[in-house]
Amino acid sequence: MKAAELFVRCLENEGIDRIYGIPGEENIDVMDALLDSRIQFVTTRHEQGAAFMADVYGRLTGKAGVCLATLGPGATNLITGVADANMDLAPVVAIAGQGSTTRLHKESHQVLDLVNLFEPVTKYSAQIREPEIIPEIVRKAFKVAETEKPGASFIDFPENIADSEVDGKGPLKVQSPAPPAPPESAVIRAARAITEARFPLIMAGNGVIRGRASASLVSFAEKLNIPVATTFMAKGCIPFSHHLAMGAVGLQASDYISCGFSRADVIICVGYDIVEYHPHLWNRNKTARIVHISAMPAEVDEYYIVETGVIGDINAALEGIMEKAAPHQGRLIVNLRETIVNEMQAHADDTAFPVKPQKILWDLRQALNPDDIVISDVGAHKMWMARMYQAQRPNTCIISNGFASMGIAVPGALAARFVHPDRHIVAVTGDAGFMMNSQELETALRYNLAFVVLIWSDSEYGLIKWHQLRHFGRPSNISFTNPDFVKYAESFGARGYRVENTSDLLPTLKKAIADNTVAIVDCPVDYSENMKLTEKLGELVCPI
Ligand SMILES: Cc1ncc(C[n+]2csc(CCOP(=O)(O)OP(=O)(O)O)c2C)c(N)n1
Ligand SMILES: [Mg+2]
C-alpha cells in the first residue's frame, strides 16, 4: 500500500474521529487517503484555528486532538496553538507536510527545518524518513502526547515518502500506561502531615481534571473537612456551590483566598503544576509546608519545596490518605467563603451600563446549565472569568493559563461543540482576541455547529491597559476600533446581537443560545472595574 494510506490506517488505529486543518500541495497523498477513511477532516480557515481546536479537544477528552497543515507557512501557523496545548498540558498531535527528502539539504521552496522548529513547543518532534517507521512514529507521537504530563507531538511527513510504497506493515497495538498507585510509606507520611496541621488548605490543579479525580477530591475534602481552592485551569473540580469551595486562585495580586494561603500551615497541592500559578505568589515567605499529590514529581522551584511527595495515581493517593488522616474542624473557612460568595452576588441586580464584569458573569451563569461549557479567551475578561464564574463541574470552564494565548475561544468553542453536541457552549472573549480567529465562524457554520460568542467590547487591549495603569498610571497604545459585530456576524450567516441596556443581557444570552446556530453577542463592558478591583484588593482586610 501507499505510505500515506498506512499513515491514515495508523491514525484510525489511535481511535481518532477528526483531524482539523488545511490541505496543501505537500500532503495531497494523505488528503487523498483520508477520503477512504472514517476519519472526518474538518477544513479550517487558519492553521492556528485548527491547532486550538485540537488543543481544546485534547483538554476535554484526554485523547490527543489532531491538526494538520502543509509545510513552511502552514506549519508555522500551527505553532501558537501547538505551544498552547503543550504548556497547558493538553494532548495534541500536529502533522505537517514537508518537501521531498531529495531537497531538504539545500535552499528550497517553502522548506524549513520543522522538526527543530517544533522541538521547543512539543514533547516529541520527528520526521518520517522511511515509510517502514510510520507505525512506530504515529504510535509514539500519540503515546507521548497522552501520557502524563500530556502535551504536543509533531510529525513531519515528506511528500516523496508519503507517495512511496510499503509492504507488510500495519498499526501497532495502542497501549496507555496508567500511573501506578503511590507507595504506602508516602501515603502514611502525607496523612500524618495533614492530621498534624493546624489549618490545612487544598490547592487543586488541572492534574485533578486530567486524572479524572474530581469525585475523589470532593470526598477527600469532605471526609477531612478541608477547604479547596482551585487554579484557573481546575475550576469546577469541586462544584462552586459546595460549602468547602473557596473559588479560584491565580491573580497576581492578593485575593480573598490569599488570606487562606497566609493562614494555612499545610498546603495540599493536588494535581498542581507550577505553570498554572507561580508559587512565589502564594508562598512568598517560603513557610508553607507542602504536600504534593500528583502523577509526577514536582518541578524545582525555590518557593515550592515539597515536604511530602505522594507520586502516583491521584485517585489512589487521595483515597489512601483520607482513610488514614484525621478530620479537621474547618471553622476558619466559613467567613472566607461568605466573603467570596457575597462579592459574587453583589452585582446580581446591577443595572449600570456599560455592563460591569461581575454582572456579565452573573447573567452568564444564569443563562447556562451546570454541564454547559464556557471557553475563555485571554485578557481582562479571563481574569474576571477565572475569579468569579461559578463552575459546577470539571472541564466546564476552559481557561488557558499555561501559554495563555489570545485567540483560543472561538476555535475552542467549535471543538467543544463537536465533543458535546448536547451541551450549550459559550466562547467568552475580548474584542481583540475575537478578531484573532473570527474566521473560524465560517468553519462552524459550515459544519452546522452551534455556539454563542460573548464579546466583552472595550475597543482596547483591556488587560494590558490594566497593567499599564497599575505600573505607570497611564495607558500606552492599547486602543483600536471594531467592526460592527452584528453586521459582521450576519455577513457570515450567523446571528448578531448588541446589548444596549444591562437588563437586556440575560434575555439576549438566552435568545442567542436558543437560536441553535452561531450567535454573537456584543456586550459593552465597564472596565473601570479593573482598577477598582486592584485598589480593593490592595487594601484587602482578611475576613479570617
Ligand atoms: C497571541 C497573544 N498576543 C498577545 C498577548 C498579550 N495579551 C494578553 S491579554 C491582551 C489583551 C487582550 O485584549 P482583548 O482580547 O480585547 O481582551 P480584554 O483584555 O480587553 O478583555 C494581550 C495583548 C497574548 N496573551 N496572546
Ligand atoms: Mg478588549
Side-chain angles (χ1 to χ4, degrees):
M1 84 176 104
K2 239 192 190 179
E5 203 185 319
L6 173 63
F7 184 73
V8 170
R9 294 286 94 80
C10 290
L11 294 177
E12 285 173 341
N13 181 57
E14 296 294 333
I16 68 165
D17 43 13
R18 236 167 264 119
I19 298 176
Y20 310 92
I22 301 187
E25 252 176 83
E26 279 68 11
N27 53 25
I28 54 169
D29 290 287
V30 172
M31 292 308 303
D32 191 69
L34 279 169
L35 292 178
D36 300 320
S37 163
R38 58 170 177 71
I39 298 171
Q40 179 186 21
F41 193 85
V42 177
T43 306
T44 66
R45 304 304 303 274
H46 194 301
E47 292 85 353
Q48 187 182 106
F52 279 133
M53 289 170 204
D55 178 3
V56 171
Y57 174 92
R59 258 185 81 169
L60 289 174
T61 65
K63 297 281 300 163
V66 184
C67 53
L68 178 144
T70 190
L71 77 174
T76 55
N77 269 354
L78 284 178
I79 283 186
T80 301
V82 171
D84 195 83
N86 202 50
M87 284 195 76
D88 279 12
L89 311 179
V92 158
V93 173
I95 301 160
Q98 182 56 288
S100 289
T101 50
T102 51
R103 66 179 178 103
L104 300 182
H105 59 291
K106 60 183 179 184
E107 182 180 300
S108 187
H109 185 64
Q110 293 190 313
V111 163
L112 283 178
D113 178 351
L114 296 177
V115 170
N116 269 320
L117 206 57
F118 277 79
E119 194 93 36
V121 295
T122 54
K123 293 171 74 185
Y124 174 60
S125 178
Q127 183 173 61
I128 302 179
R129 296 208 181 97
E130 303 291 339
E132 288 76 17
I133 62 174
I134 287 172
E136 285 180 355
I137 288 203
V138 173
R139 182 74 276 273
K140 181 162 179 180
F142 278 84
K143 182 172 179 175
V144 171
E146 290 173 357
T147 304
E148 271 286 322
K149 297 176 184 178
S153 292
F154 174 71
I155 300 174
D156 165 305
F157 200 1
E159 57 179 335
N160 60 329
I161 307 291
D163 186 32
S164 61
E165 288 294 320
V166 56
D167 289 323
K169 293 283 174 187
L172 303 181
K173 185 169 185 235
V174 174
Q175 295 169 308
S176 314
E184 183 73 3
S185 56
V187 169
I188 292 172
R189 266 188 292 123
R192 192 179 310 133
I194 293 168
T195 300
E196 287 167 5
R198 199 175 29 79
F199 176 22
L201 178 67
I202 297 167
M203 172 160 56
N206 186 252
V208 173
I209 294 179
R210 295 196 305 275
R212 305 292 185 255
S214 303
S216 309
L217 178 83
V218 174
S219 312
F220 178 92
E222 283 172 351
K223 165 97 195 297
L224 303 180
N225 201 19
I226 301 176
V228 182
T230 74
T231 62
F232 290 0
M233 288 178 52
K235 280 176 78 71
C237 70
I238 179 166
F240 182 75
S241 54
H242 196 286
H243 69 280
L244 290 168
M246 294 293 124
V249 280
L251 281 196
Q252 289 186 16
S254 289
D255 206 335
Y256 293 109
I257 184 59
S258 315
C259 301
F261 277 89
S262 49
R263 292 295 292 274
D265 55 341
V266 172
I267 312 278
I268 308 162
C269 297
V270 189
Y272 159 78
D273 295 292
I274 67 172
V275 71
E276 295 188 52
Y277 182 35
H278 282 300
H280 70 83
L281 294 170
W282 56 267
N283 189 21
R284 286 174 215 269
N285 308 324
K286 306 185 193 173
T287 49
R289 296 173 57 201
I290 295 170
V291 177
H292 177 81
I293 302 173
S294 173
M296 299 291 283
E299 171 65 296
V300 174
D301 186 293
E302 63 172 305
Y303 293 88
Y304 195 76
I305 304 299
V306 173
E307 188 176 283
T308 311
V310 187
I311 308 305
D313 178 60
I314 295 179
N315 276 303
L318 292 172
E319 277 153 28
I321 297 168
M322 80 176 140
E323 265 176 30
K324 295 185 172 59
H328 280 263
Q329 302 243 313
R331 47 187 152 54
L332 283 170
I333 59 167
V334 179
N335 290 353
L336 184 54
R337 178 168 164 85
E338 263 175 20
T339 309
I340 295 169
V341 170
N342 289 344
E343 199 204 356
M344 287 182 176
Q345 284 172 352
H347 297 273
D349 301 316
D350 196 320
T351 52
F353 190 83
V355 194
K356 293 203 173 79
Q358 301 93 317
K359 171 67 173 163
I360 302 181
L361 295 171
W362 185 264
D363 283 8
L364 179 62
R365 184 65 278 181
Q366 305 309 306
L368 295 173
N369 301 316
D371 280 329
D372 291 342
I373 297 177
V374 293
I375 321 262
S376 177
D377 214 81
V378 173
H381 60 282
K382 175 179 120 176
M383 299 303 156
W384 288 103
M385 282 283 291
R387 246 192 119 235
M388 288 196 154
Y389 182 75
Q390 301 185 14
Q392 301 291 7
R393 306 264 196 280
N395 261 346
T396 58
C397 180
I398 301 295
I399 292 181
S400 169
N401 209 35
F403 196 58
S405 172
M406 294 164 69
I408 189 174
V410 170
L414 186 155
R417 182 68 181 190
F418 263 131
V419 176
H420 294 294
D422 50 332
R423 303 198 200 173
H424 304 309
I425 314 285
V426 179
V428 174
T429 176
D431 39 11
F434 170 69
M435 291 298 288
M436 285 194 179
N437 275 317
S438 60
Q439 75 286 346
E440 302 307 338
L441 296 178
E442 188 279 322
T443 311
L445 287 158
R446 189 161 22 92
Y447 289 91
N448 290 319
L449 298 167
F451 55 83
V452 175
V453 183
L454 174 59
I455 304 176
W456 298 32
S457 289
D458 64 338
S459 298
E460 284 178 342
Y461 293 103
L463 181 66
I464 308 306
K465 181 179 184 181
W466 191 354
H467 286 306
Q468 291 170 342
L469 293 177
R470 270 183 28 229
H471 287 277
F472 304 112
R474 57 180 187 170
S476 169
N477 299 288
I478 38 73
S479 299
F480 48 79
T481 53
N482 283 315
D484 179 330
F485 286 130
V486 174
K487 286 192 187 144
Y488 189 73
E490 287 166 356
S491 74
F492 281 90
R495 302 284 170 84
Y497 302 94
R498 182 166 301 109
V499 175
E500 316 261 9
N501 284 298
T502 298
S503 55
D504 293 343
L505 176 58
L506 184 56
T508 306
L509 282 172
K510 288 184 176 164
K511 171 93 179 57
I513 290 167
D515 283 344
N516 204 26
T517 180
V518 176
I520 291 180
V521 178
D522 175 8
C523 181
V525 60
D526 178 6
Y527 272 154
S528 66
E529 286 298 310
N530 295 349
M531 280 307 286
K532 287 186 195 151
L533 179 67
T534 297
E535 281 150 23
K536 183 164 122 187
L537 295 179
E539 297 158 3
L540 189 66
V541 179
C542 281
I544 55 172

